[in-house]
Structures are given as structure tokens and as C-alpha cells.
Amino acid sequence: MSGRLLLVCRLLMRDLRRRRTETVLLLVAITAATATLTLGLTLNEIADRPYQQTRTATVGPDVIVTPRATGQAALDELAPMTTAASVTDHSGPFPIAYLTMTAGDKSAHAVIEGRDSAPVSINRPAVTDGTWVRPGGVVVERAFADALGVRVGDTVSVDGHPLRVIGTAVTAARATYPYAGWHYPGSVLVERGGLVWVDRGDIATLAGGQPLSYTLNLKLADPAASATYAVGDQLTTWQAIDHLNGRLYGDAQMALLVGSWLLSGLALAGVAGIVAGRIIAQRRRVGLLKAVGAGPAMIAAVHLAEYLVIGLAAAATGLAAGWFTAPMLIRPSAGLIGSVNAQPPALRTVIAVTALALTIAVAATLVPVVRAAATSTVHALADAATPPQRRRWRIWLSRQLPTALLIGVRINARRPRRARLVTVNTLITTTTLVAVLVVNTRVEHFDLGYTELANPRSERMDQALLVVIVVLCILALINAVVSTWTTVLDARHPLAVARTLGATPAQAGLGLAVAQLLPAIPGVVAGIPAGIGLLTFVSTGEVQHPPGSWLLATALGVLLAIAVLTAIPAMVATRRPVVDALQSAPT
């Protein structure tokens, strides 16, 4: 047993050293999928860290109560809550008015909260620029200020009353822009809006004839017990605020998770193509091992061990890449302080990523490995390609084809599984590109009452889509290059024979390009409805279809890229003398 294990390890190390380029390509293909999955799974885990830091820095409350009643009725309703047995501290009640703030040519809903200049024990907003409230001035929540484009020293108008912006601040007592909770007094329908603070003495003037609402901040003996409170339009817990802030990353997480599924399929196709080429190149070694007494189980173990080791290395690399990349890609809301610190991934993330890497490695290698293990010794030593199945109608049809097209069809007939991998590669690539087109054509109405501002949720989704599309294009490029080069190496002898029989170098090179384009066409055609259908499936809103010209340009662009990638190795292959190709040993 130890002797067999030693043999497997020696052959494993020998293959990894001799085929370094292919090993690196395998590692990159699987790592692309695992790194994207790591980002998607860790997004929610790390997105709430800035809120926790903000909550600590601002002494955030555990429960925030805002009665639907206004004026004295609201104060009477809040009075007994400050003496409840579970409450250890409180601040407020603070007056609130739901008004409109105008900055330049932009007007938006604004929750106006009246505060005192003296600090309180609970809910002390942290000033990030300028100073805290004073008469005649306004402090704007930082994310809201960024959306409106206002800075300290600017002048804004609150329901027609000009105020000078004296500072920006962050708080953990309300969700960051755009989820500050604006609504009409007495209404349960909450709309988007931002939060600002003014001096308590100014709020009555700003509100005019509108009755004031009030809010009360409570600190509990057991902060975790606030999760048992019935959250509604009159009561909010810090957990609910954390959840609202996390919604900013919901679309980005979906984009990363769906992207990891697509990249997994692309990695599977790429790995399968590389593995098929490697096992074909190792067919003679399989015959030698069988000739000296190795059984099918030993042959399978020799091959699988190599790819399992690469899969585990890719899982570790993907976890590390996702871990270090997440803080750079995930930008916390401006309404929070702190940063997204890189911390070791959770155990469930490690297990999921490792399982994905091993699944890709095993799924892509199992069929060719089993086929190699079941190959007879004589056939393996002969190292001959499987002859295509001949049918009379195929022979008749082939006689009608131009020379270049005939060469391409025969190349694919010799290696049909490789042609299917090209189809899968182009299908997934086109699906992703079309899905991105659909996202970019969406008509977004993200208004805060009177104007349209930037949607921070969409901004984060666009960042995630950029990551997915860049990684996918790199992986698709690698797959296309590997598939083309493998086809060129495998077709050297058939092309040499064709040139001996009268085919010109141009026809041979064009035949290689056709061999890649033929299986790519159905992948591109199927990828267009697949991309639209995928986004329709994962989207919660109405999907806007991109113009037909965009879809046609995408399809032609994918096919043109494949043709260009095929042209260079095809030209190199056809420039080689026929005699050298015929005299070279089979690969």
C-alpha cells in the first residue's frame, strides 16, 4: 500500500513540474470561481462591521420609539417607557419634523431632528466635519450630504428657510441614507429620505404649522433582548437598522453569487478542456502503467490525485484572494464610520468554497479519467484518436462542403467533446454579457420626493458586476486560448495530411478557425435568451430588454473574438513544413 502511495506521489510531483503552464491555468480557472464565491458569501458577514463600529462610537441606542401621535399626545405616550424595568438609560424625547430640504437645484425629503448642543448619554452622533448643532445652522448626515453634493459652508433651504451647513455627522439611531424613514405625520407609509439635525429651538419655526413628532432612544439592560421587540412603524431596534443598512449590499451579493455560478460553469468547461488534453497526452503512459501491472483503480488514482491537489490549492488561493480583496471592493456607506476589516472567512464559507473547488476538479476530470482507466493497454500504447462514426449522409454532405469548412467539420468530428466545451464556454460568456447589458439598460427611478439622486444600492451592484465581468472575460479568454491551442496541437497530423492532398495553408488555417467557430455559434445564439432569462429569474423588478442592435453586436463581438484568438495559432500551425509535421511523434 505504501509503495502505491509513493508511486502516486512521485507521478503527481513529476506531472506538476513538467506541465507547469497547464497547472497554472487549472489553478487560475478554479480560483476565479472560488474567489468570486468567497466575495459573495462574505459580503453580508463583513458589511455590518462598519455599523457595529458606528454604534460603538456614537453610543447607539438599543430601541428607538417614534409614536404615530404628534405633539403632547406623543410625549404622554413616551413618558412611561423611560421608567420600564428593562430600560437602564434613555435620551430624548427629541422633536422631529418631516420636511423638504433643497440644496442647489435638488430637493429631497429630509427628516429634521431637533437636538441640543450639550451631549447626551445615548445616541451622540459623531461629527465627521465641521461642528455640532447651533442656532441657524444644520448638520447633515454624511451619506445624505454626499448624495446632495453639499459641504460645510454651503447654504441649504428647509421648507423655504435658509440654513448654513455647519457640519456632517453619522449616527446609529437611524438607517443611513436613503432609509432614514421619512413619512407624513400619522402615516405608516415610509418613503426614502435623508437625516439632518438642527438646534431644538429652530425646529418649530422650520416646521411651521406642521405638528411635531417625537423620538425616544432607549438603552436596555440586555441589548440582545431588543430583538424580541415587535418592530413596526413606531418602534425600531438596532438589529432592524443594521438590516436596513445591509440592504445596500443585497444586489451586489446577488450579482456575486450568480456570477460565481456562471464562473463555476466556465471553470468547469475550462478545466475539462485542459484535463482532456492532458489525459490524451498521457495516454501512452497509461498503457505503460497497465503493461507493468497497474489496474484501473491505480490509473484513476494517479490522475485524480493531481487534480484534487490542484483543486485544494485553488480553494485556498480563492479564499485568500476573496479575503484580501473584499475590503477594497466593498465600500461602506458614507453614513457609517470605520472600515471593512479583513478577517478570516467563516467556517461555512471555507467549507462551501472548498466543496466548490473539489466539485469542479472532480466533475471535470471524472469522465476522462474513468475512460482512460478503462482503455485497453494496446489502444493506449497506440495513442490513436477515436475515429469518427461514419454515415453515408455525412459522407455525401462532406463532399459538398468547401475545403476549409470540411477541414473544420472533420476536426470537430474527431474530438466532439472538445467542441461541446467550446459551446459551453461561449454560452456562459454570452449569457453573462447579455445579463450585464440588461442591467445597464434598466430605467431607474430613485427619487427622494422631488428629485432623483444616486442609488447607493445600484452603485454597489455595478461594482460587483464589474468584478464578475472582468474575471469572466479573463477566464473565457484563457479557455478560448487553451481550446484553440489544444486543437492546433491535436490537428497537426490531419492538417499535414490535408495539405499533402492539396489543401493550401490558407484553407488549413481557415479550417482551424471554422473548427472553433462552428460550436461557438449555437452557444452564442442560446446565450442571448439565457442571459435575459437569468436576469428575469433573479430580478425582483421589471426587466428592460436591451435594443436588438446591442444584442447582435454582442453576439458578433464574441464570435469575432474567437476568430481572432484562433487566427494567430492557426497561422503558426500552417507555416510549419508538412514533412516536419508528419515526422513528429504523436502528442
Side-chain angles (χ1 to χ4, degrees):
M1 184 67 181
S2 60
R4 293 182 179 181
L5 181 60
L6 181 60
L7 175 61
V8 170
C9 292
R10 285 182 174 179
L11 291 175
L12 166 66
M13 297 305 299
R14 178 177 176 272
D15 281 343
L16 292 178
R17 286 196 302 266
R18 288 190 60 193
R19 303 178 181 275
R20 296 178 182 176
T21 301
E22 295 175 355
T23 300
V24 171
L25 290 176
L26 287 169
L27 190 65
V28 169
I30 304 177
T31 299
T34 56
T36 308
L37 179 62
T38 301
L39 281 172
L41 292 178
T42 58
L43 187 58
N44 273 354
E45 297 176 7
I46 66 178
D48 63 343
R49 293 173 192 166
Y51 176 76
Q52 298 297 338
Q53 297 170 7
T54 305
R55 176 172 157 76
T56 301
T58 61
V59 197
D62 298 325
V63 176
I64 303 92
V65 184
T66 306
R68 196 176 304 169
T70 58
Q72 188 59 44
L75 295 174
D76 295 340
E77 186 176 337
L78 292 174
M81 295 186 179
T82 60
T83 58
S86 58
V87 176
T88 59
D89 199 358
H90 74 279
S91 64
F94 299 114
I96 288 180
Y98 302 98
L99 306 174
T100 301
M101 188 172 79
T102 302
D105 59 347
K106 300 176 182 178
S107 298
H109 289 149
V111 179
I112 314 296
E113 183 174 335
R115 298 295 296 264
D116 301 312
S117 58
V120 294
S121 58
I122 306 298
N123 183 18
R124 296 197 297 264
V127 177
T128 58
D129 192 15
T131 62
W132 187 230
V133 296
R134 63 173 182 263
V138 59
V139 178
V140 186
E141 191 257 340
R142 186 167 62 175
F144 190 35
D146 285 356
L148 288 172
V150 300
R151 298 291 181 267
V152 174
D154 293 346
T155 299
V156 297
S157 173
V158 177
D159 268 22
H161 298 84
L163 294 173
R164 186 178 181 83
V165 178
I166 59 174
T168 59
V170 298
T171 181
R174 280 184 181 267
T176 185
Y177 161 84
Y179 302 119
W182 192 97
H183 63 87
Y184 292 99
S187 173
V188 297
L189 300 178
V190 178
E191 301 183 26
R192 300 187 186 102
L195 174 66
V196 300
W197 298 272
V198 298
D199 186 84
R200 185 193 287 261
D202 292 341
I203 193 169
T205 302
L206 297 176
Q210 182 184 116
L212 295 178
S213 302
Y214 287 88
T215 184
L216 176 68
N217 304 301
L218 302 178
K219 194 72 173 177
L220 305 182
D222 181 13
S226 59
T228 61
Y229 278 65
V231 177
D233 62 300
Q234 302 182 65
L235 186 145
T236 305
T237 63
W238 68 269
Q239 292 95 335
I241 296 174
D242 190 14
H243 174 72
L244 277 176
N245 288 333
R247 287 178 58 185
L248 295 174
Y249 302 91
D251 292 339
Q253 185 187 35
M254 178 61 72
L256 288 171
L257 291 179
V258 173
S260 69
W261 303 341
L262 295 171
L263 287 171
S264 297
L266 205 58
L268 187 62
V271 172
I274 298 172
V275 169
R278 294 184 74 166
I279 291 181
I280 289 173
Q282 295 170 342
R283 184 179 293 169
R284 181 164 295 181
R285 188 182 73 173
V286 172
L288 293 174
L289 288 174
K290 287 194 170 188
V292 298
M298 183 65 180
I299 300 295
V302 168
H303 287 87
L304 281 176
E306 178 180 353
Y307 303 114
L308 289 177
V309 168
I310 294 175
L312 289 174
T317 307
L319 283 167
W323 175 25
F324 286 111
T325 307
M328 294 182 286
L329 295 179
I330 301 171
R331 181 176 58 87
S333 169
L336 303 173
I337 59 177
S339 60
V340 178
N341 300 319
Q343 296 184 9
L347 179 60
R348 63 178 182 179
T349 300
V350 175
I351 294 175
V353 170
T354 304
L356 174 65
L358 294 180
T359 299
I360 293 175
V362 173
T365 59
L366 190 58
V367 173
V369 165
V370 171
R371 186 177 294 111
T375 303
S376 66
T377 305
V378 175
H379 184 70
L381 290 173
D383 194 16
T386 303
Q389 295 181 354
R390 302 185 182 276
R391 297 288 187 270
R392 286 187 177 182
W393 67 271
R394 291 179 181 175
I395 296 175
W396 175 84
L397 181 61
S398 65
R399 290 174 180 173
Q400 317 303 317
L401 299 177
T403 303
L405 184 58
L406 175 61
I407 292 174
V409 170
R410 288 186 60 84
I411 289 174
N412 286 334
R414 294 180 72 248
R415 304 292 186 196
R417 296 178 185 86
R418 185 179 298 158
R420 296 190 194 107
L421 292 178
V422 174
T423 303
V424 172
N425 187 41
T426 53
L427 170 63
I428 296 176
T429 304
T430 308
T431 297
T432 306
L433 293 176
V434 170
V436 172
L437 281 180
V438 174
V439 170
N440 289 334
T441 56
R442 68 186 184 274
V443 178
E444 193 172 74
H445 300 286
F446 190 81
D447 64 278
L448 275 83
Y450 306 95
T451 187
E452 292 190 5
L453 301 178
N455 185 352
R457 186 168 179 171
S458 296
E459 290 177 343
R460 284 160 178 79
M461 184 182 68
D462 291 341
Q463 293 172 355
L465 283 176
L466 179 62
V467 173
V468 171
I469 197 64
V470 169
V471 176
L472 181 133
C473 287
I474 293 174
L475 194 53
L477 177 64
I478 292 174
N479 286 358
V481 170
V482 169
S483 175
T484 301
W485 189 247
T486 305
T487 302
V488 168
L489 294 178
D490 188 54
R492 283 182 301 177
H493 291 81
L495 287 179
V497 172
R499 290 173 61 188
T500 303
L501 296 175
T504 64
Q507 289 173 332
L510 188 57
L512 280 172
V514 169
Q516 295 295 300
L517 286 174
L518 285 178
I521 291 174
V524 170
V525 172
I528 294 176
I532 297 175
L534 174 65
L535 204 66
T536 303
F537 176 74
V538 301
S539 178
T540 56
E542 183 181 356
V543 175
Q544 300 287 335
H545 291 190
S549 58
W550 292 17
L551 298 176
L552 179 60
T554 301
L556 294 179
V558 172
L559 294 176
L560 179 62
I562 294 174
V564 171
L565 292 173
T566 307
I568 297 176
M571 292 174 59
V572 173
T574 55
R575 290 169 66 96
R576 188 179 185 186
V578 175
V579 176
D580 293 346
L582 292 175
Q583 289 179 346
S584 63
T587 57

